[in-house]
């Protein structure tokens, strides 16, 4: 149960986020409510506004998830944030999603002292419940340069009754009630700091060690949805590009990000 007394002090605040940010170019623009922080950044980039690189909202009315799904974004209890990642080379762009998953887990550990796991490619789980989703979208700006909008949604203290029937069996939160000594502002700053720490040398792939350690599917039997059909196999490795290596009945294949869903077999 979310206790409103507990979360009263946890108001999203630009100055408080900024205080803990080591990457000051990510000076945040904070909204009480918006349609989608990814869409806000997309509109800005298309309109040539690239000076603001971090958008945060207390609530989204059209939170977007992967594969055209909705990301439920109720007020007060979650973090909905999008970062504009400057154009890099193709190799770096390919790695952004897996790097973001590691950055979020590291940030949660640093601020909340909670160990979370990664379900390939970019869902963060705690106690078999999804507590965070990540959506990276490419956007073209200026001279055709590709920038990436990295959207991150974290259920910090979202009460399960707030979720719709569609997601209630899967969605969870880091806390039942927001602890008084932790703020969403600190967690937002920690996510940016951890992501940019990795992004500065992303192509050395050092973070992939943590990705493999934090994976909840390596060594497990899985089902994956590819081209409208479910297949089975065992998840055996994460390759150097963040792809999932799967041993099937008669082959070893690599799944790349994009339009693929993965489920653990019971
Ligand atoms: C997923 O789980 O499928 C990805 C969810 C990504 C949600 C975040 S919340 C902030 C940003 N704005 C959006 O509309 N989506 C992302």
């Amino acid at each position: 149960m979310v206790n409103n007394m507990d979360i009263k002090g946890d108001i999203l605040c630009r100055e408080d986020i900024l205080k803990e940010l080591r990457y000051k170019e990510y000076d945040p623009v904070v909204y009480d409510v918006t349609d989608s922080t990814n869409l806000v950044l997309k509109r800005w980039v298309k309109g040539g506004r690239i000076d603001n690189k971090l958008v945060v909202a207390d609530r989204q009315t059209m939170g977007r998830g992967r594969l055209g799904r909705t990301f439920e974004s109720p007020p007060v209890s979650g973090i909905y944030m999008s970062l504009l990642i400057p154009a890099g080379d193709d190799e770096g762009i390919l790695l952004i999603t897996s790097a973001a998953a590691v950055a979020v887990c590291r940030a949660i550990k640093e601020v909340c002292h909670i160990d979370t796991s990664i379900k390939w490619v970019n869902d963060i789980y705690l106690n078999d419940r999804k507590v965070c989703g990540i959506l990276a979208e490419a956007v073209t700006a200026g001279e055709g340069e590709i920038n990436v909008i990295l959207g991150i949604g974290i259920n910090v203290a979202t009460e399960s009754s707030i979720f719709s029937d569609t997601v209630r069996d899967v969605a969870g939160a880091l806390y039942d009630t927001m602890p008084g000594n932790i703020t969403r502002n600190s967690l937002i700053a920690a996510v940016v700091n951890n992501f940019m720490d990795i992004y500065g040398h992303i192509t050395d792939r050092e973070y992939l060690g943590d990705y493999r350690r934090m994976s909840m599917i390596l060594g497990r039997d899985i089902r994956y949805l590819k081209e409208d059909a479910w297949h089975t196999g065992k998840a055996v490795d994460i390759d150097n590009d963040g792809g999932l290596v799967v041993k099937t009945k008669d082959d070893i294949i690599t799944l790349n990000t994009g339009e693929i869903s993965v489920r653990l077999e019971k």
Side-chain angles (χ1 to χ4, degrees), residues 20 37 50 221:
E20 298 187 46
T37 54
I50 49 164
D221 291 328

Side-chain angles (χ1 to χ4, degrees), residues 47-246:
R49 173 174 168 185
I50 49 164
D51 46 332
N52 294 112
K53 295 178 173 46
L54 173 60
V55 178
V56 177
D58 186 61
R59 175 162 80 92
Q60 297 183 121
T61 54
M62 278 178 47
R64 290 143 52 87
R66 284 180 71 230
L67 310 173
R69 296 182 190 127
T70 299
F71 188 80
E72 297 183 12
S73 314
V76 183
S77 54
I79 287 173
Y80 318 109
M81 59 189 283
S82 298
L83 290 83
L84 181 63
I85 313 296
D89 53 20
D90 290 351
E91 196 186 0
I93 288 179
L94 180 74
L95 300 169
I96 283 177
T97 309
S98 52
V102 171
V104 169
C105 291
R106 286 181 182 170
I108 291 172
K109 179 73 178 171
E110 194 176 297
V111 175
C112 311
H113 310 288
I114 294 174
D115 288 306
T116 46
S117 316
I118 303 169
K119 182 163 100 37
W120 188 86
V121 55
N122 55 2
D123 288 341
I124 311 297
Y125 272 67
L126 175 66
N127 301 330
D128 290 328
R129 297 267 168 175
K130 175 170 164 176
V131 296
C132 167
I134 296 169
L135 175 67
E137 300 185 279
V139 59
T140 316
E143 310 275 285
E145 282 189 330
I146 306 233
N147 292 257
V148 173
I149 293 173
L150 178 61
I152 299 171
I154 306 176
N155 304 326
V156 182
T158 318
E159 195 184 346
S160 71
S161 64
I162 292 175
F163 292 119
S164 72
D165 292 347
T166 326
V167 302
R168 190 170 304 127
D169 287 347
V170 178
L174 293 175
Y175 297 105
D176 290 340
T177 56
M178 194 77 188
N181 58 342
I182 281 161
T183 67
R184 289 179 293 165
N185 297 316
S186 301
L187 194 48
I188 291 164
V191 168
V192 178
N193 289 338
N194 276 281
F195 179 78
M196 292 310 290
D197 286 350
I198 296 175
Y199 192 63
H201 55 97
I202 193 164
T203 53
D204 71 14
R205 294 165 164 79
E206 169 272 333
Y207 74 93
L208 280 175
D210 264 3
Y211 190 99
R212 293 185 183 101
R213 274 187 290 281
M214 291 163 171
S215 167
M216 62 188 271
I217 66 167
L218 284 188
R220 306 269 309 262
D221 291 328
I222 58 159
R223 272 184 303 143
Y224 57 95
L225 180 64
K226 192 176 180 188
E227 287 151 10
D228 289 334
W230 284 99
H231 309 265
T232 56
K234 184 180 200 145
V236 290
D237 199 8
I238 303 293
D239 77 3
N240 264 352
D241 294 328
L244 179 65
V245 183
V246 178

